[in-house]
Amino acid sequence: MSSLANFSFEYGSSDQITPLVKRLIAKNPGPFTFTGTGTFIVGTKELAIIDPGPIDDEHLKAIIKTSGKNKISHIIVTHTHNDHSPLSKPLQEITGAPIYSYFNEAIDTKTNNQFEEGYDNSFKPDVIVKDGDLIKGFDWTLEAIHTPGHTSNHMCYSLLEEKILFSGDHVMGWSTTVIVPPDGDMDEYLKSLEKLLDRNDNIYLPTHGTQIDNPHDLVKKYIEHRINREEQIIKAIKSGNFKINEMVKIIYSDVDPGLHPAASMSTLAHLNRMVKNKIIKVDGKGLKADYRIV
């Protein structure tokens, strides 16, 4: 495993990551959450809680305990998967803090719920955040960066005082993020990665996993990985494999077959992008379609 997949922590106890940032990890480990949801507590006198996490009474108590006598003034959500946003409401009931998030009412969540933690369909923020918005507390400023791809409503937040990017599930050190159509969009994801390369954030703090130093190097590797995957898809099609299940057996031959359904959705996300960019043509729809080189 890479060093980014190895770090020490204790459930229920916070780690001081930087002078302005503490992290708590919820006890919800799994194939899509790694060790669990990392909740970040930003600031000193006025606190922002980023990604409160899933419904979990022990984690809620840990957030309140870690905050101490300091006021929780903001609750901020990167995106509305069930491992990120549901605890925002119980936290608000205790603190009265407004909830901030990008918001999309028209998300098609049915397919994604089969492969990930699912969507928090009851979620609604008090403050709808847009790309470039600044959210300010006593000694901190968070810049919102809309980064669709993993989900259409995904937001990263940059702590300007420390040049730290809270990267949510957009960039994770332990694994590449899952892109599941129709809400997940590979073309948007790659554009959002390119967007981060134009920024000067020195450290990324993902919601799952440990901090990422030299983040631009990792972002470039993730872009390269996705482009290489599309080259593999083209090679598979040229070899006469026109359906997604045929491509997956070749491209993911070294992966547990139990993970092939998720791999099929990732392949579909790539093919959707390739059709959009007129590299591939499609006859039919979705997983059962035939795909050919243009």
Side-chain angles (χ1 to χ4, degrees):
M1 290 181 104
S2 82
S3 59
L4 291 173
N6 293 294
F7 68 105
S8 60
F9 70 95
E10 184 179 339
Y11 291 120
S13 297
S14 66
D15 293 309
Q16 188 82 46
I17 307 297
T18 70
L20 284 176
V21 180
K22 292 180 180 179
R23 180 186 60 208
L24 279 164
I25 297 180
K27 198 171 185 179
N28 62 326
F32 296 108
T33 59
F34 190 37
T35 60
T37 298
T39 297
F40 294 100
I41 301 170
V42 180
T44 55
K45 294 181 181 179
E46 290 182 352
L47 307 181
I49 308 298
I50 300 179
D51 282 348
I55 296 295
D56 181 327
D57 287 343
E58 292 304 311
H59 190 55
L60 179 61
K61 289 175 185 175
I63 293 172
I64 298 300
K65 181 181 177 182
T66 301
S67 300
K69 295 180 180 179
N70 300 309
K71 179 184 178 182
I72 294 176
S73 57
H74 298 69
I75 299 168
I76 298 173
V77 171
T78 61
H79 65 294
T80 55
H81 275 155
N82 278 328
D83 55 320
H84 290 252
S85 60
L87 200 63
S88 59
K89 201 64 182 174
L91 183 60
Q92 182 182 58
E93 289 171 359
I94 293 172
T95 65
I99 299 168
Y100 292 70
S101 176
Y102 191 91
F103 189 59
N104 241 353
E105 285 192 88
I107 291 180
D108 182 344
T109 62
K110 293 177 183 176
T111 304
N112 300 62
N113 287 358
Q114 299 174 39
F115 298 100
E116 300 180 70
E117 294 298 298
Y119 280 83
D120 180 6
N121 291 321
S122 65
F123 178 85
K124 194 167 186 178
D126 301 297
V127 182
I128 296 174
V129 181
K130 301 184 299 297
D131 185 58
D133 282 356
L134 297 179
I135 307 169
K136 297 184 179 183
F138 173 75
D139 54 2
W140 52 265
T141 309
L142 291 169
E143 179 186 358
I145 303 105
H146 187 212
T147 47
H150 175 63
T151 63
S152 59
N153 64 12
H154 195 288
M155 274 280 190
C156 294
Y157 297 92
S158 177
L159 178 59
L160 300 184
E161 287 77 7
E162 294 185 332
K163 291 188 176 180
I164 291 172
L165 186 79
F166 297 97
S167 59
D169 285 2
H170 184 54
V171 178
M172 302 185 291
W174 71 285
S175 173
T176 54
T177 196
V178 177
I179 312 291
V180 179
D183 188 54
D185 187 302
M186 189 65 69
D187 200 46
E188 292 294 322
Y189 168 69
L190 285 168
K191 289 175 182 176
S192 295
L193 287 178
E194 294 281 359
K195 185 177 184 177
L196 295 188
L197 293 177
D198 293 331
R199 299 184 52 80
N200 65 348
D201 306 291
N202 292 331
I203 294 171
Y204 289 3
L205 291 174
T207 303
H208 308 286
T210 190
Q211 78 177 47
I212 300 166
D213 300 312
N214 303 313
H216 280 195
D217 291 343
L218 184 64
V219 170
K220 289 173 184 176
K221 286 179 183 177
Y222 280 173
I223 293 170
E224 182 182 359
H225 167 73
R226 298 293 185 174
I227 298 303
N228 287 343
R229 185 68 79 205
E230 293 187 358
E231 290 172 357
Q232 290 177 301
I233 289 170
I234 289 171
K235 186 176 179 181
I237 293 173
K238 285 182 175 178
S239 299
N241 302 282
F242 304 126
K243 293 191 179 294
I244 287 177
N245 66 331
E246 297 169 351
M247 299 177 207
V248 167
K249 287 177 184 177
I250 295 169
I251 298 169
Y252 295 91
S253 59
D254 58 342
V255 172
D256 179 355
L259 297 175
H260 281 189
S264 295
M265 297 309 296
S266 179
T267 303
L268 174 61
H270 277 292
L271 286 163
N272 286 347
R273 171 183 134 84
M274 296 164 82
V275 169
K276 178 180 177 181
N277 293 330
K278 298 184 175 12
I279 299 167
I280 299 293
K281 58 184 178 181
V282 58
D283 181 14
K285 190 175 181 181
L287 294 174
K288 295 183 179 180
D290 280 346
Y291 295 88
R292 311 278 175 139
I293 307 297
V294 170

